[in-house]
Amino acid sequence: MHLCYVDDSGDSRYGVTLTGLLVEDARWAEVLNAWLEGRRRIHREFGVPKTAELHAATLYKGRGQYCETSAQNARFGTAKRAATGRIMLSTLSKNATFDVFRVGVTDVSKPISYARFVAWLEDWAERADSQLMVMYDGQQGLGRPGEQLGPPRDRELWETAIRDATPYREVHRSLDIGQRRIIEDVMMQDSRYSQLIQAADLIAYGAYQKHRQEHPEIWRDIGTPSSGAIAAYLQLAGHWPSASDYGVHWLG
């Protein structure tokens, strides 16, 4: 059995890409330990604590306060932010066994693109003779870290999470129960609380930036791709599927 941690990236005007970090159940501790080793390294070098959410867009665009002290934050500029991404993905790549699976489509609707992604996952699981559980970046009905919840706020958060997950849950339930390889409904995991969803986010953003670099005819003139995110993503080359475009299957 495999676990698949999923995040999306792209531009709502031109397309959506979805990335899956595929982890065999027996390798889960190995993958998490490798990721946490990277977190220990960036804490030693830059003062970024394990509890700080690594969110690719804010990391590479110079936003957010990541470090433990104001002095460390002042020094945490573009070069160190780029180094953070490289350290995280290179440490993961060198110390764990996993696969990276990525699909890109011109459909800007996330539920539609997710359905196409799931179809490819089903084919992958058939070839691997495995079953899958999918964790997707999204709300879980939890408040902000440290927020004290009570009615009606807790009910509001829970109902929002259930509603937002509905289109993705329906994709799973449309699969043939007698043939499907993806078991159970999609499990929404808030990236603030999931280290491996954060890993999927860094991978997804880097793969999108690399695809932008290689295919400007698809993504149009929307600025220069992030070289830091691309350099980090290239650390995973050994985990990309064969016959892919830098790890991406573009379905159009």
Side-chain angles (χ1 to χ4, degrees):
M1 181 175 170
H2 286 72
L3 307 175
C4 185
Y5 296 86
V6 182
D7 202 2
D8 56 72
S9 192
D11 186 294
S12 59
R13 294 170 294 175
Y14 307 122
V16 176
T17 62
L18 291 105
T19 294
L21 172 62
L22 286 158
V23 180
E24 187 179 3
D25 56 352
R27 299 278 189 177
W28 181 85
E30 172 189 302
V31 172
L32 181 58
N33 278 331
W35 177 258
L36 293 177
E37 173 56 29
R39 299 240 38 167
R40 287 188 287 271
R41 287 185 59 190
I42 64 172
H43 181 253
R44 289 193 302 269
E45 296 189 28
F46 308 126
V48 179
K50 186 175 70 175
T51 53
E53 179 188 2
L54 292 180
H55 189 272
T58 59
L59 179 69
Y60 293 114
K61 291 180 180 180
R63 302 170 185 165
Q65 302 293 306
Y66 278 93
C67 304
E68 291 177 313
T69 70
S70 56
Q72 288 170 327
N73 273 312
R75 295 192 296 269
F76 196 55
T78 301
K80 289 184 178 179
R81 286 169 177 259
T84 294
R86 289 196 305 275
I87 288 170
M88 292 306 304
L89 295 190
S90 65
T91 304
L92 183 66
S93 179
K94 292 174 183 175
N95 295 287
T97 301
F98 58 90
D99 292 297
V100 172
F101 178 88
R102 186 168 182 83
V103 164
V105 297
T106 54
D107 295 295
V108 297
S109 164
K110 287 184 181 179
I112 293 175
S113 61
Y114 181 71
R116 300 184 72 180
F117 177 76
V118 163
W120 272 72
L121 274 182
E122 282 277 317
D123 290 343
W124 179 91
E126 178 70 27
R127 293 192 300 272
D129 191 22
S130 184
Q131 292 180 306
L132 284 163
M133 291 190 71
V134 178
M135 272 66 68
Y136 196 172
D137 183 18
Q139 294 189 54
Q140 291 178 275
L142 303 174
R144 296 182 299 275
E147 181 181 3
Q148 297 297 313
L149 297 180
R153 173 64 172 159
D154 53 357
R155 182 176 181 84
E156 174 193 356
L157 287 169
W158 179 249
E159 289 180 347
T160 299
I162 293 295
R163 182 175 61 252
D164 289 350
T166 298
Y168 308 102
R169 190 164 53 246
E170 289 177 348
V171 170
H172 286 231
R173 295 186 180 187
S174 70
L175 298 172
D176 183 345
I177 195 170
Q179 303 293 326
R180 61 186 285 183
R181 292 280 181 164
I182 297 176
I183 64 174
E184 263 295 352
D185 293 337
V186 62
M187 310 296 180
M188 307 307 284
Q189 294 282 314
D190 193 323
S191 59
R192 293 174 297 179
Y193 305 103
S194 172
Q195 294 287 345
L196 293 185
I197 287 290
Q198 291 178 41
D201 174 68
L202 285 186
I203 298 168
Y205 190 78
Y208 164 58
Q209 297 298 322
K210 180 60 178 173
H211 203 256
R212 281 183 57 203
Q213 182 184 69
E214 298 299 318
H215 297 282
E217 76 283 2
I218 294 175
W219 299 105
R220 319 290 175 86
D221 184 16
I222 53 176
T224 303
S226 169
S227 59
I230 292 170
Y233 176 65
L234 293 176
Q235 305 299 313
L236 301 172
H239 301 270
W240 298 340
S242 59
S244 66
D245 183 4
Y246 294 99
V248 178
H249 295 284
W250 183 256
L251 305 184

